[in-house]
Amino acid sequence: MRSAIVLAAGKGTRMKSSLCKVMHQCADKPMIGHIITTLKKADVDKIVVVVGHGADAVKEYLQDEVTYALQSPQLGTGHAVMQADCLKDCDGDTIVLNGDGPCIQSETIEKAFAANETHDLTVLSAVLDDGGNYGRIVREASGQVKKIVEAKDCTAQEKTITEINTGLFVFKTKALFEGLKELTNDNAQKEYYITDLVEIFNRKGLSTNALIVDDRDELMGVNDRVDLAKAEAWMKKHINHKHMLNGVTLIDWKNTYIGADVEIGEDTIIYPNVVIYGKSKIGKNVQILPNSFLKDAQIGDDAVIDASKVVDSQVDAQTTVGPMSHLRNHTHIHAHCRIGNFVEFKNTDFNDGSKCAHLTYIGDSEFGKDINVGCGVVTVNYDGKNKHRTVVKDGAFIGSNCNLIAPVTIGENALLAAGSTITDSVDDGDMGIARARQSNKKGFGTKYKNK
Ligand code: UD1
Ligand code: CA
């Protein structure tokens, strides 16, 4: 069986934030969220997240997806692992990883488990130009891993070692919990270090191993906002390359921001400066033009989104939206529609073939099929206290600059004369007109001009 312990109790002082470190977002998802998704992808049966600082925020986010162990006070990474003793009787292997390493991929986790098949402990290491603040991997002349020394505890000679501890370990679960009994806090920070288990395992005659990873950036730890930006950049490249290899054109992938959970179909083209976040699902052959923002958006095949914002809303096949439109709050624009320039839709169902092309607000409404909404139409849905619904049936024609004072229903194939303020429902096939009759004053124009 595969278990996992994710260390996420630390405060993350260097982030200088009221938010606990592992809840900081990278590619539109808290760091801890990326790690849990990845562990699940690698078939880990049981995940224990060690929480402390910001425990409530982490629990609220992950809910019952994982088991929690509380670490309070926080006395180091080894002490954190001790709190996950609900795993101590499990068979198989346990992976231990830091909650501040969001870029780790499931293939690497698979490799780590595989590497530990013939060992009791495997640590993933990386070779850097400069070991910085990372723990150093100290090897015997034979190459055998001897111990890990934290940067703060290094001798001058150890400091020059460039092979570092990424913070990811796999242990034989039972050996892990036996080994933890021997940990002490005899070091510069007076903490219980997980890294001391290497020496302890060696002393006990158990087999230890260090596996050097190829992409050292995948295992970076985020300690401050500069690191967070590096992780964001790594993830953007990884996510965007995946979409490109799946048949999506990103005209300028460095200026395209796609969240980790977004799905995009083949032959879709995404222009620069587009953001697609949340659980958005984009169909095939869609065009998303510059400066669009989509969050939790469902976009059908062959649709066009032009410099618009679509949040919590759906746009069906072959519909065009924008430029400069805003669809929000469970709006559903069906197929073959045309929306925008400068149109706002809120909580509205707008059916096949209907058009609303200019300067309009439609809220809390239900529009049928093949309706034409003229320029400057407003559904007056709010009376200052309550919201009311507007219903417009198939084939209706709403003249420009009409106000529809809700609640109101406009019948099938009905017509509203331009400039009307409609307070009463209009039956099928009828016309509603509500405006003062025009009168023309003979010669008044010239007289006024010459005055
Ligand atoms: C740790 C390693 C170091 C390694 C580096 C890789 C130790 C002693 N050091 O150092 O060798 O190179 O990671 O990034 O393990 N945490 C707890 N409880 C605690 C302390 C920490 O849950 O009491 C969690 C933190 O929330 C964090 C993770 O453990 O997610 C790592 O802690 P951090 O303080 O960042 O360790 P580093 O100094 O980076
Ligand atoms: Ca760290």
Side-chain angles (χ1 to χ4, degrees), residues 133-204:
N133 291 321
Y134 288 107
R136 305 296 200 274
I137 307 280
V138 182
R139 292 184 185 256
E140 308 275 14
S142 65
Q144 173 61 35
V145 182
K146 188 176 166 199
K147 60 180 178 177
I148 300 175
V149 185
E150 286 308 293
K152 284 182 182 142
D153 299 301
C154 277
T155 62
Q157 202 271 323
E158 285 165 340
K159 205 96 197 225
T160 64
I161 297 174
T162 53
E163 185 182 1
I164 59 95
N165 167 27
T166 64
L168 190 151
F169 296 83
V170 180
F171 298 92
K172 289 278 174 280
T173 305
K174 294 210 167 108
L176 167 63
F177 287 96
E178 280 304 311
L180 285 173
K181 292 177 186 164
E182 299 188 23
L183 270 193
T184 65
N185 63 350
D186 182 16
N187 53 53
Q189 301 190 90
K190 295 281 164 270
E191 286 187 354
Y192 295 90
Y193 291 164
I194 187 178
T195 46
D196 287 347
L197 285 171
V198 176
E199 235 183 329
I200 291 171
F201 272 45
N202 282 330
R203 202 162 64 219
K204 291 174 131 201

Side-chain angles (χ1 to χ4, degrees), residues 6-12 14 21-22 50-53 71 73-81 97-101 131 133-136 148-153 164-169 187 189 191-196 219-223:
V6 185
L7 308 186
K11 184 160 180 232
R14 286 167 282 175
K21 180 159 74 174
V22 298
V50 181
V51 290
H53 279 284
Q71 186 200 19
Q74 286 87 32
L75 305 177
T77 49
H79 179 254
V81 177
L97 65 179
N98 293 345
D100 63 1
N133 291 321
Y134 288 107
R136 305 296 200 274
I148 300 175
V149 185
E150 286 308 293
K152 284 182 182 142
D153 299 301
I164 59 95
N165 167 27
T166 64
L168 190 151
F169 296 83
N187 53 53
Q189 301 190 90
E191 286 187 354
Y192 295 90
Y193 291 164
I194 187 178
T195 46
D196 287 347
L219 281 119
M220 77 177 92
V222 171
N223 293 314

Side-chain angles (χ1 to χ4, degrees), residues 167-384:
L168 190 151
F169 296 83
V170 180
F171 298 92
K172 289 278 174 280
T173 305
K174 294 210 167 108
L176 167 63
F177 287 96
E178 280 304 311
L180 285 173
K181 292 177 186 164
E182 299 188 23
L183 270 193
T184 65
N185 63 350
D186 182 16
N187 53 53
Q189 301 190 90
K190 295 281 164 270
E191 286 187 354
Y192 295 90
Y193 291 164
I194 187 178
T195 46
D196 287 347
L197 285 171
V198 176
E199 235 183 329
I200 291 171
F201 272 45
N202 282 330
R203 202 162 64 219
K204 291 174 131 201
L206 296 170
S207 159
T208 60
N209 172 35
L211 178 70
I212 301 176
V213 295
D214 314 324
D215 184 355
R216 60 201 199 191
D217 292 335
E218 180 191 333
L219 281 119
M220 77 177 92
V222 171
N223 293 314
D224 56 31
R225 311 259 182 165
V226 176
D227 293 339
L228 186 65
K230 282 183 196 153
E232 178 83 40
W234 189 95
M235 220 171 270
K236 177 168 71 181
K237 181 173 178 184
H238 190 82
I239 291 170
N240 289 0
H241 281 211
K242 175 190 79 182
H243 288 297
M244 290 189 276
L245 293 173
N246 283 345
V248 179
T249 297
L250 304 183
I251 289 179
D252 180 2
W253 70 263
K254 288 188 176 166
N255 286 300
T256 306
Y257 307 85
I258 303 176
D261 297 330
V262 171
E263 293 173 40
I264 310 177
E266 268 173 39
D267 288 325
T268 285
I269 302 180
I270 302 179
Y271 285 74
N273 224 15
V274 166
V275 178
I276 311 178
Y277 276 174
K279 299 230 179 299
S280 292
K281 197 169 173 191
I282 315 298
K284 293 182 182 167
N285 202 36
V286 172
Q287 287 188 52
I288 306 184
L289 301 184
N291 304 321
S292 295
F293 179 94
L294 287 74
K295 181 160 194 200
D296 296 319
Q298 315 286 312
I299 310 294
D301 297 346
D302 309 303
V304 177
I305 309 293
D306 183 359
S308 292
K309 187 161 186 168
V310 182
V311 178
D312 269 332
S313 292
Q314 180 172 345
V315 172
D316 290 349
Q318 305 196 9
T319 282
T320 68
V321 174
M324 315 292 176
S325 287
H326 184 190
L327 313 182
R328 61 187 178 96
N329 201 336
H330 307 294
T331 283
H332 183 179
I333 310 292
H334 292 247
H336 303 103
C337 292
R338 184 171 158 224
I339 305 299
N341 311 244
F342 299 95
V343 167
E344 178 182 0
F345 270 83
K346 180 212 132 191
N347 187 24
T348 287
D349 200 41
F350 197 77
N351 278 277
D352 294 39
S354 291
K355 295 183 173 58
C356 179
H358 326 271
L359 300 161
T360 289
Y361 171 64
I362 307 281
D364 301 313
S365 303
E366 197 180 316
F367 277 64
K369 296 179 181 160
D370 301 316
I371 292 167
N372 188 74
V373 180
C375 176
V377 170
V378 174
T379 56
V380 185
N381 59 328
Y382 185 48
D383 61 13

